[in-house]
Amino acid sequence: MKKRSGSGWGTGHNLEQMQRVLLVKLGRGSEALDSAWARFLAFPAEFTYEELIRYAPKAERRASHEKAMEASAHGDLASLIPLRLSTKELPRLVERLERATDVELERLSHFVLEPAAKRLVKSHPGLAAKAFRALCKRIVDAGKSKVGPAELHTHAGRQHAVAGRYACNAQQEDRATGRIQPDPAEPLLSQGFVQRQALQRVELAHQADHL
C-alpha cells in the first residue's frame, strides 16, 4: 500500500474511501463515520472534512462540524487556512492568524495565504496587512524575480498596500452611507498616505532583517 503523502493523498486514502463506501452498503454506517473521524483527526484538512461531513447523519452534522472545528484548532496552518475559508469560519481563522508568528506566515505558500489575506482586507485590515507583509517578505527573500532589487521591493510594498487601500475604501463607504459616525479626532486617511505608510513599513522591515 502506498504511504500517505505530505498532502494526505495517495493509494491509502483512496482505499479508505472505498472501504467507507462498502461499509455504508453493508449497513455499517457508524463504522464508516468512525473511519472518517480517524482520518480527519490524523490530518485535519478541507478534503478530510468533506469526507467526514459526508458520512455524518444529517441531524448530527452541525455538532460534527463544531467538533471538527475545535479538533483542528491547532492544526498545521497550510491545511487549516483552506479549511477555515471553505467552511466560512472567519472568526476561527482570525483567532488562529492572530496567534501566528511572522515566521509561520512567511513559510506558507502564496496559494494558501493570499486567499486569506484578500478575505480579511475589509473586515480585519490590520490582520490582512500582517499576511500581505509575510507574502512580500517571501518575494523579497526569494529573489527569484528577474527585476532589480528596487523594482522588486516596490512591488512588495504595493502588494502590502492592498490591505491599506481596502481599509481606506471601506472607511469611506461606511462614512458615506452613515454606517459609522465620523470621529473628528480620527481624520480619514487618503489612499496615497496609506500606500506610502505601507511601503515604508516594508522597507523598514527589510532593513531590520539585514542588520
Side-chain angles (χ1 to χ4, degrees):
M1 181 183 297
K2 186 177 180 180
K3 291 184 179 180
R4 181 179 303 163
S5 67
S7 63
W9 291 99
T11 304
H13 172 73
N14 293 332
L15 179 58
E16 288 176 5
Q17 285 184 315
M18 294 171 60
Q19 289 173 335
R20 293 184 196 111
V21 171
L22 180 59
L23 285 170
V24 171
K25 289 182 178 180
L26 294 174
R28 297 159 61 183
S30 61
E31 292 181 44
L33 178 59
D34 289 342
S35 171
W37 265 116
R39 178 65 170 167
F40 178 81
L41 294 174
F43 190 82
E46 184 177 358
F47 73 91
T48 54
Y49 169 82
E50 292 173 352
E51 186 82 351
L52 168 63
I53 295 302
R54 180 179 298 117
Y55 290 101
K58 289 185 178 180
E60 300 176 12
R61 284 181 181 173
R62 185 60 196 174
S64 294
H65 169 81
E66 289 298 323
K67 182 180 176 181
M69 293 300 101
E70 292 177 7
S72 61
H74 299 285
D76 179 68
L77 273 175
S79 299
L80 188 63
I81 289 175
L83 174 61
R84 294 290 190 255
L85 289 174
S86 67
T87 55
K88 297 181 173 58
E89 285 286 352
L90 188 60
R92 285 186 164 106
L93 173 62
V94 168
E95 188 276 332
R96 181 63 184 89
L97 289 179
E98 285 177 340
R99 290 191 287 110
T101 65
D102 289 339
V103 173
E104 284 182 289
L105 296 181
E106 289 163 18
R107 289 173 178 168
L108 294 173
S109 162
H110 168 87
F111 298 103
V112 170
L113 189 55
E114 187 174 21
K118 289 182 176 179
R119 178 65 180 83
L120 294 169
V121 288
K122 291 187 177 181
S123 59
H124 297 79
L127 191 54
K130 176 182 177 180
F132 275 116
R133 192 258 179 200
L135 288 169
C136 296
K137 183 70 161 45
R138 281 176 59 90
I139 294 173
V140 173
D141 288 349
K144 295 178 180 178
S145 175
K146 294 182 180 179
V147 301
E151 292 83 355
L152 179 63
H153 210 160
T154 299
H155 173 70
R158 285 174 178 168
Q159 187 174 7
H160 179 80
V162 170
R165 291 203 301 271
Y166 272 95
C168 183
N169 290 340
Q171 188 181 34
Q172 290 174 329
E173 182 181 349
D174 285 340
R175 293 189 177 191
T177 57
R179 283 197 292 266
I180 62 171
Q181 294 299 319
D183 183 355
E186 185 184 25
L188 184 64
L189 300 179
S190 68
Q191 288 193 22
F193 178 83
V194 171
Q195 290 174 353
R196 288 193 299 274
Q197 186 181 53
L199 285 165
Q200 183 180 31
R201 285 158 65 184
V202 172
E203 179 64 35
L204 290 173
H206 181 66
Q207 291 174 359
D209 290 337
H210 290 78
L211 288 178

